[in-house]
């Protein structure tokens, strides 16, 4: 069976932990989009890890981890992440990399930096991992596929051609040093040697695995609101964050995806610029940020403080719908135990009208949050294993959210560790 695990909002919903948990019952875990631009935090018996490119399944002996064709493959980063986890005592994971994945080139990172610099105050708040230049090149058909590394003639010709083009921009638009084609070719030959042990036709591997009835988990990065089509464009990422794209980014039939587990956090947070209707500021935000996640809400990749807000029913319901959520994992609920009352955004006021649907970015910019205030439970819920043992107000909070989301909340996460999860039999 194929399951997908994806985020409903801006990312950082705690997907890493849920993926790590679901990894236990998976044979294969696949990254299908994005690159090393966002991170998952995973805490397990080996320690605490921030993974950026590797699928979360790398900690298990029984799983194969796949970097699918939809991913922006940063080859030295991949090798570094593998070495990092192995140096911390994790057994060397079984990893396969799609020979159709495209390669994140050193100049993608430079172009990302230069463009943010050029935009100045109007920058996107990019993590400068080269993701936007990478996907631009992929769709402009000037990207490098892993398979091309293994044909030196193709590679040489292409390097010359691409350098010519990139150097015009570097020289005249950004006024930066040009790329030396010889140097780039040498780098790509090093990349070839690094990736060779992993490269294969992962789509064929997955088709076979489906035939054999294996359990496959598609692991999404970021969340619905960062999707280039359905998110808060243009403050989005450059590859689709939706479960549907999992079929393409992994190379499997769309109808094989049977479960779409959508991760929703009990409050909101976002990194980077972009619309965020239920955002809070000042002391209220500082306190939630400090108490949030595991040791505070700071970016796993950049360490940047995350923007904070109350739970947003409008955005989360839309996020679930656009993912095609079949069930929801509600995370980080334990953090809210300090609050007397918890505001929840239940509507957007736009031009004097209250709306429940999530609008396009132009309208979203005018939206003001409409809150309903729910009573807090004022206690520590970590350690609780059964749904019935949660305080009444806490269950009411969950059930309120569930009704708003219109999707069953089947898992409630009440702590950062793997076993801190409450399952519900309500699907
Ligand atoms: P992801 O990218 O969606 O995996 O999210 P991140 O890993 O960036 O952020 C989630 C943070 O919350 C991490 O620090 C997790 O360890 C932590 N976390 C996940 N679930 C829970 C939970 O239920 N309670 C608490 N307190 N922290 C959690």
């Amino acid at each position: 069976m194929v399951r997908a695990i994806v985020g409903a909002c801006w990312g950082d919903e705690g997907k890493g932990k849920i993926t790590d948990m679901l990894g236990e019952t998976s044979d294969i875990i696949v990254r299908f989009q994005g690159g090393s631009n966002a991170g998952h935090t995973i805490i397990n018996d080996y320690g605490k890890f921030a993974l950026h490119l590797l699928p979360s399944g790398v900690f298990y002996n029984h799983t194969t981890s796949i970097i699918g064709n939809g991913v922006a493959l940063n080859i030295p980063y991949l090798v570094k992440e593998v070495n990092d986890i192995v140096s911390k005592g994790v057994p060397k994971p079984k990893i396969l990399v799609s020979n159709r994945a495209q390669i994140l080139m050193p100049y993608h990172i430079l172009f990302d930096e230069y463009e943010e610099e050029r935009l100045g105050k109007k920058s996107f708040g990019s993590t400068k991992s080269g993701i936007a230049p990478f996907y631009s090149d992929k769709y402009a058909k000037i990207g490098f596929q892993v398979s091309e590394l293994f044909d030196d003639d193709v590679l040489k010709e292409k390097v010359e051609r691409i350098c010519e083009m990139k150097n015009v921009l570097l020289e005249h638009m950004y006024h930066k040093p040009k790329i030396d084609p010889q140097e780039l070719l040498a780098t790509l030959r090093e990349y070839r040697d690094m990736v060779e042990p992993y490269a294969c036709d992962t789509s064929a591997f997955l088709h076979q695995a489906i035939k054999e009835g294996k359990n496959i988990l598609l692991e999404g990065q970021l969340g619905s609101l960062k999707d280039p089509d359905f998110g808060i464009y243009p403050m989005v990422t450059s590859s689709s964050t939706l479960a549907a794209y999992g079929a393409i980014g992994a190379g499997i039939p769309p109808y094989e995806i049977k479960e779409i587990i959508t991760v929703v956090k009990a409050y909101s947070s976002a990194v980077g610029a972009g619309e965020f209707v239920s955002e809070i500021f000042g002391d209220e935000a500082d306190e939630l940020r400090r108490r949030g996640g595991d040791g505070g809400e700071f970016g796993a990749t950049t360490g940047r403080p995350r923007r904070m807000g109350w739970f947003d029913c409008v955005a989360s319901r839309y996020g679930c719908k656009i993912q095609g959520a079949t069930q929801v994992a509600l995370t980080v609920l334990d953090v809210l135990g300090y609050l007397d009352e918890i505001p929840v955004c239940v509507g957007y006021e736009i031009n004097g009208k209250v709306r429940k649907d999530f609008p396009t970015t132009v309208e979203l910019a005018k939206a003001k949050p409409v809150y309903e205030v729910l009573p807090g439970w004022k206690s520590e819920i970590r350690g609780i294993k059964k749904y019935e043992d949660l305080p009444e107000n806490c269950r009411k909070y969950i059930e309120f959210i569930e009704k708003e989301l219109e999707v069953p909340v089947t898992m409630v996460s009440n702590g950062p560790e793997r076993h801190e999860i409450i399952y519900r039999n309500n699907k």
Side-chain angles (χ1 to χ4, degrees), residues 71-306:
V71 171
L73 175 69
N74 182 331
I75 294 175
Y77 203 98
L78 173 75
V79 172
K80 180 181 152 302
E81 261 193 1
V82 173
N83 291 343
D84 261 9
I85 63 165
V86 170
S87 76
K88 288 181 182 148
V90 179
K92 197 165 188 275
K94 182 161 182 235
I95 296 170
L96 302 176
V97 173
S98 167
N99 57 10
R100 289 178 185 273
Q102 295 206 5
I103 301 159
L104 191 119
M105 306 291 275
Y107 54 76
H108 288 141
I109 297 169
L110 294 176
F111 275 102
D112 206 350
E113 275 172 28
Y114 298 161
E115 183 60 9
E116 289 280 288
E117 193 181 307
R118 191 182 74 83
L119 290 171
K121 282 209 179 80
K122 292 195 169 146
S123 77
F124 286 88
S126 159
T127 59
K128 302 189 182 100
S129 315
I131 301 299
F134 167 90
Y135 283 105
S136 307
D137 280 3
K138 176 170 175 176
Y139 293 108
K141 298 170 284 188
I142 50 171
F144 286 78
Q145 224 178 47
V146 166
S147 62
E148 291 170 327
L149 293 175
F150 300 96
D151 187 320
D152 219 50
D153 293 336
V154 168
L155 200 60
K156 251 192 238 159
E157 184 277 323
K158 194 161 175 179
V159 163
E160 300 263 332
R161 183 160 50 88
I162 303 292
C163 283
E164 227 169 75
M165 191 178 178
K166 296 290 173 198
N167 281 339
V168 174
L169 285 176
L170 286 170
E171 188 176 359
H172 299 290
M173 183 154 172
Y174 296 110
H175 312 292
K176 297 285 182 186
K178 293 199 274 184
I179 308 167
D180 173 2
Q182 286 313 314
E183 236 175 76
L184 183 62
L185 189 61
T187 304
L188 291 179
R189 286 177 180 147
E190 282 174 28
Y191 283 10
R192 176 192 57 206
D193 297 342
M194 290 183 200
V195 81
E196 192 166 14
Y198 309 115
C200 67
D201 182 347
T202 50
S203 168
F205 179 88
L206 286 168
H207 275 257
Q208 185 58 33
I210 290 172
K211 251 193 206 160
E212 291 168 10
K214 294 265 166 41
N215 282 326
I216 298 166
L217 188 61
L218 305 176
E219 177 181 347
Q221 180 213 40
L222 297 169
S224 302
L225 304 184
K226 293 284 185 181
D227 183 74
D229 284 275
F230 292 97
I232 48 171
Y233 189 84
M235 296 304 180
V236 293
T237 194
S238 304
S239 66
S240 176
T241 55
L242 304 183
Y245 188 74
I248 298 164
I252 60 167
Y255 55 77
E256 294 292 350
I257 305 174
K258 304 295 186 210
E259 283 290 344
I260 298 171
I261 301 151
T262 305
V263 185
V264 174
K265 188 149 79 174
Y267 53 88
S268 303
S269 73
V271 265
E275 303 311 329
F276 182 1
V277 177
S278 66
E279 184 168 10
I280 53 173
F281 304 92
D283 293 346
E284 202 180 32
D286 286 343
E287 174 141 43
L288 185 56
R289 184 180 302 109
R290 188 166 51 73
R291 292 172 175 270
D294 176 40
E297 289 281 0
F298 298 92
T301 305
T302 56
R304 288 186 286 190
R306 290 178 179 151

Side-chain angles (χ1 to χ4, degrees), residues 275 277 348-351 355 357-368:
E275 303 311 329
V277 177
Y348 290 171
E349 192 193 312
I350 303 172
N351 297 328
R355 291 175 48 171
D357 61 312
F358 190 80
T360 55
T361 313
V362 247
E363 284 184 297
L364 195 58
K366 299 181 200 144
K368 293 192 186 67

Side-chain angles (χ1 to χ4, degrees), residues 7 11-19 38-43 48-49 51 56 219-222 263 265 267 269 291-301 306 330-335 382 412-417 420-421:
D12 309 318
E13 297 94 351
K15 289 180 300 296
K17 170 187 161 168
I18 308 291
T19 315
H40 283 315
T41 314
I42 295 173
I43 301 170
K48 182 172 176 175
F49 298 88
L51 291 185
S56 313
E219 177 181 347
Q221 180 213 40
L222 297 169
V263 185
K265 188 149 79 174
Y267 53 88
S269 73
R291 292 172 175 270
D294 176 40
E297 289 281 0
F298 298 92
T301 305
R306 290 178 179 151
L330 185 67
T331 59
V332 211
L333 191 62
D334 50 303
V335 161
R382 284 188 74 173
V412 176
S413 172
N414 59 338
E417 289 179 28
E420 293 181 296
I421 190 90

